[in-house]
Amino acid sequence: MADLSLLQEDLQEDADGSLDFVSQDEMLTPLGRLDKYAASENVFNRQMVARSLLDTLREVCDDERDCIAVLERISRLADDSEPTVRAELMEQVPHIALFCQENRPSIPYAFSKYLLPIVVRYLADQNNQVRKTSQAALLALLEQELIERFDVETKVCPVLIELTAPDSNDDVKTEAVAIMCKMAPMVGKDITERLILPRFCEMCCDCRMFHVRKVCAANFGDICSVVGQQATEEMLLPRFFQLCSDNVWGVRKACAECFMAVSCATCQEIRRTKLSALFINLISDPSRWVRQAAFQSLGPFISTFANPSSSGQYFKEESKSSENTSVEDKNRIRDQEVPEDVQIRPEDVPSDSSISNSSVKLENTMEDHTETTRKPPGEISVPMDSSLLCTLSSDSHQEAASNENDKKPGNYKSTEQPEVGTGSQDSAHLDQELYNSFHFWRTPLPEIDLDIELEQGSGNKLHPERPEETPEVTIPGSSNITMATRKELEEMIENLEPHIDDPDVRAQVDVLSAALRASSLDAHEEASDTEKKSDVQDELGVSEQPNCKINHDASVPLISDAVENMDSPLRYIHNDSDLSTSSSFSADEERRPKVQDVVPQALLDQYLSMTDPSRAQTVDTEIAKHCAYSLPGVALTLGRQNWHCLRETYETLASDMQWKVRRTLAFSIHELAVILGDQLTAIDLVPIFNGFLKDLDEVRIGVLKHLHDFLKLLHIDKRREYLYQLQEFLVTDNSRNWRFRAELAEQLILLLELYNARDVYDYLRPIALNLCADKVSSVRWISYKLVSEMVKKLHMATPPTFGVDLIHELVENFGRCPKWSGRQAFVFVCQTVIEDDCLPMEQFAVLLMPHLLTLANDRVPNVRVLLAKTLRQTLLEKDYFLTSASCHQEAVEQTIMALQMDHDSDVKYFASIHPASTKISEDAMSTASSTY
């Protein structure tokens, strides 16, 4: 016992001593405490001082002299011999600099005078940790624009240039080069060109240290993007060629990784003639790591050959984008001479009201990617990139707008006819641009008989040299199928129908049916065309755009894939190949060489070889995934007219054994569909899309996340076929994969706009009600939104019987559900309907509110709590219940009064007061622990 008493006395004395120590610190001023611990021999005390500098500055910020005193102590602390103290100080510098910037009137020029010299000095510190923290601090200060431009030029750049001198330390030199490259985008083009670029070029040729050359190669693209095209081509490209031939494979690998950025900073000619050959060398490099990096950069490098002016894609084949668009009002400029190079911007086009009785002639031209070749005067060909003169009659727009939304024209007609009176010089220029290598290699389409009456009505002739020697040329929008061909199609469909269960046969029937519908539409449109006075009737997809307007976002699209030549016939349908992937292409089409003129052929050949199994063994096991990742960019670059070059590669990737490859394609198939257009999408992408729907969940999620984006691109008949398959998304490999069902609910909300009321009621309604009863609350919350939007759509339909039936089903299945969670779901749905104004309040009061108010007597408190929230926070906020004194309002008030006297305290609380939260998600979360 005596020992215990002595121990207690010792502890009491220690406690008293520590209290005295604390009280002494509290009596000191902030500067006094700073001085006390800064002079301590204990390293941890000095670290604590560095860590508390910002707090000390905040305490004395009202006194300018005290602030200056703190900054002077920082300068003394920067001379500490302990590296950990200096590193700790440097970590605090960006925060202190930001404080000085915010309080600039009190401490002007504090950062430039006291802090920046420390940062710059630490860049050459002997300790590696101090250098790293100072480099990070410098970049953070530049990123936040806390360093003045003058200080960058006079204090930062000179130090970095000195650190990269030939006699500098190797590690310091390498780090200084890296800092120079990283700060170039932050300081801008002027400082980079004057101060950084000369030393950077010297470092690229550093013969002693490959680490320096490797850093330069890794950041080469950033420097090129900052200094621009001229400096890149004059100063940087020679250095880049040297780095790509470096004897260290790490340097060459770094060059391959930044090749796309370098290519973006050069002109098309250098990109095609010099960089392409250089890249081929990297792909053939002896080092596997260099080849691996080169193949990963191959797709991005090919994408730099894309033409920016024609990158805009229009999905419908009848409305494709073009590089140059000339627009003229036919009533005003019918007989005037219009030079070929005249462009009229979309904003100059009159509105629909001003052209109600006229037609607008659209002339679009695709850029020729190869050098044009002059043809003899007597020979006139109409290649892929020749001009199109299309007439859009406003009368036909009004006619088409009255049709059903699922009717799409299948015929696209245009004529190549320059205006009367065009000079011989313009005609010769036209002849020169008519040749295209793509047209030369293209398998020709069938010749089309000219409509004589329509041709005479147009009144426009081709006049290259002499009008009498120039034939008129008509470009068909799609192949005219004769009556005999239609009979053959019908017979083929009848023969295939007994085997319709086979997916391949079903795909054949789909293609043949589409061709048959197109032929019937052709015949109908030809009959209507003869009644028009305009040059040519250009049927656009007005079923989806009833009000056709010409604006910035609706320029004339690319020329139709079916309109590329008009010489010898091309077989429209064939039966001797696998129609599940490319049904409408003939044997000649399949054997077409994969030749194009957009990118160097050697690059494309290397890209197509990425699916070769030998590449996975000799280059990279994930090379197919890299190929799939960049395929949409390559397809956009080549254009839909060159899709035949990529079709086989895409099919190979879609059937790859690695699910990661198929997953990559599944996530991008909707983007590829926009690039290819509706015809190629229906032929080549829809079968692959169907295969992804039956794949692993890891692949299906890619399709599901963009289900709306893909289905909206399909014809309405084809789109309806997927209604039967939506139910399959409810079944997953792992039942605990609730995010899959949540994504399905999100997509169904978007899909409501694509289907009519009957389809929504028959196919989407059962899925939505199923999701409302899901085991996971997050899925149910999204489903409540889905059901409310469904109620809104069905109620607005004519007649609204589907909406009434859905509400009755909600009442029966949820409002009167024997499980309390179902009744609570009914209240959630009603709350969402009210919040989103899915029903007029008069209709809500009649159809839903009586059943909602009956839940005031529910035996489960959670249901009554949510009911009280809904009535007090949502329903009574509506003007209908605030202004009108009706029986409905009286019923609501009586229910609220009954809930205010409820025996449950939570029900009383939410019925009596008005909490701030009115969001359904927060309401659901507030009851999640007790409800779900």
Side-chain angles (χ1 to χ4, degrees), residues 60 64 75 411 448 514 648 685 720 746 763 820 893 920:
V60 301
E64 180 180 343
S75 300
N411 192 22
I448 307 302
E648 183 179 350
L685 297 189
R720 289 192 74 254
E746 295 275 11
Y763 298 101
W820 69 271
E893 292 176 351
I920 181 174

Side-chain angles (χ1 to χ4, degrees), residues 191-409:
I191 294 179
T192 302
E193 282 189 342
R194 288 190 293 106
L195 303 176
I196 297 178
L197 185 58
R199 181 50 59 92
F200 178 81
C201 293
E202 294 178 12
M203 293 298 98
C204 290
C205 303
D206 191 306
C207 301
R208 192 167 60 88
M209 289 194 61
F210 79 91
H211 296 287
V212 174
R213 301 196 304 274
K214 184 177 179 180
V215 171
C216 292
N219 297 277
F220 211 95
D222 295 335
I223 298 294
C224 291
S225 61
V226 172
V227 300
Q229 178 177 328
Q230 182 177 357
T232 298
E233 295 176 355
E234 294 177 358
M235 300 184 63
L236 291 175
L237 272 189
R239 308 295 188 277
F240 188 67
F241 274 79
Q242 295 176 8
L243 293 174
C244 288
S245 304
D246 199 276
N247 56 358
V248 178
W249 66 265
V251 178
R252 303 195 302 274
K253 177 177 179 290
C255 291
E257 291 171 345
C258 71
F259 214 94
M260 175 186 175
V262 176
S263 177
C264 290
T266 61
C267 66
Q268 187 74 261
E269 181 181 357
I270 290 180
R271 190 178 301 142
R272 180 179 294 273
T273 57
K274 296 183 179 180
L275 292 182
S276 299
L278 184 63
F279 195 86
I280 293 298
N281 292 336
L282 293 176
I283 283 183
S284 308
D285 196 272
S287 172
R288 175 173 181 167
W289 306 111
V290 178
R291 297 198 305 272
Q292 179 176 320
F295 273 108
Q296 291 182 20
S297 300
L298 177 55
F301 176 50
I302 290 177
S303 68
T304 62
F305 288 86
N307 181 9
S309 61
S310 62
S311 60
Q313 294 291 328
Y314 285 72
F315 182 73
K316 302 300 293 179
E317 294 295 344
E318 296 85 358
S319 57
K320 299 174 185 172
S321 64
S322 64
E323 177 190 1
N324 300 321
T325 304
S326 291
V327 182
E328 56 182 10
D329 189 352
K330 209 179 163 189
N331 284 343
R332 292 180 303 150
I333 323 176
R334 178 178 297 273
D335 297 324
Q336 295 180 5
E337 177 181 348
V338 181
E340 292 182 4
D341 57 351
V342 171
Q343 287 190 0
I344 301 178
R345 296 170 297 175
E347 59 264 28
D348 297 332
V349 180
S351 61
D352 284 353
S353 59
S354 65
I355 58 171
S356 58
N357 296 320
S358 64
S359 24
V360 179
K361 197 183 303 180
L362 303 177
E363 175 183 358
N364 75 3
T365 309
M366 255 189 87
E367 181 190 20
D368 187 356
H369 294 283
T370 58
E371 297 181 2
T372 57
T373 305
R374 184 180 302 274
K375 297 180 70 71
E379 298 180 16
I380 296 180
S381 62
V382 185
M384 182 68 179
D385 55 339
S386 60
S387 302
L388 287 179
L389 295 178
C390 312
T391 57
L392 298 179
S393 172
S394 59
D395 297 335
S396 65
H397 291 169
Q398 297 172 1
E399 275 186 16
S402 63
N403 294 337
E404 295 180 3
N405 289 337
D406 59 350
K407 291 185 179 180
K408 295 184 179 179

Side-chain angles (χ1 to χ4, degrees), residues 646-696:
L646 297 175
R647 181 186 298 108
E648 183 179 350
T649 299
Y650 190 78
E651 294 169 357
T652 302
L653 293 171
S655 59
D656 195 275
M657 293 295 295
Q658 301 181 67
W659 63 266
K660 292 182 179 179
V661 177
R662 305 194 302 275
R663 173 186 170 93
T664 303
L665 294 182
F667 271 94
S668 63
I669 192 171
H670 66 290
E671 299 287 356
L672 190 60
V674 175
I675 296 171
L676 297 185
D678 56 352
Q679 292 184 11
L680 291 174
T681 295
I683 295 170
D684 293 327
L685 297 189
V686 167
I688 294 176
F689 182 84
N690 295 337
F692 288 157
L693 292 178
K694 303 173 184 178
D695 212 313
L696 301 176

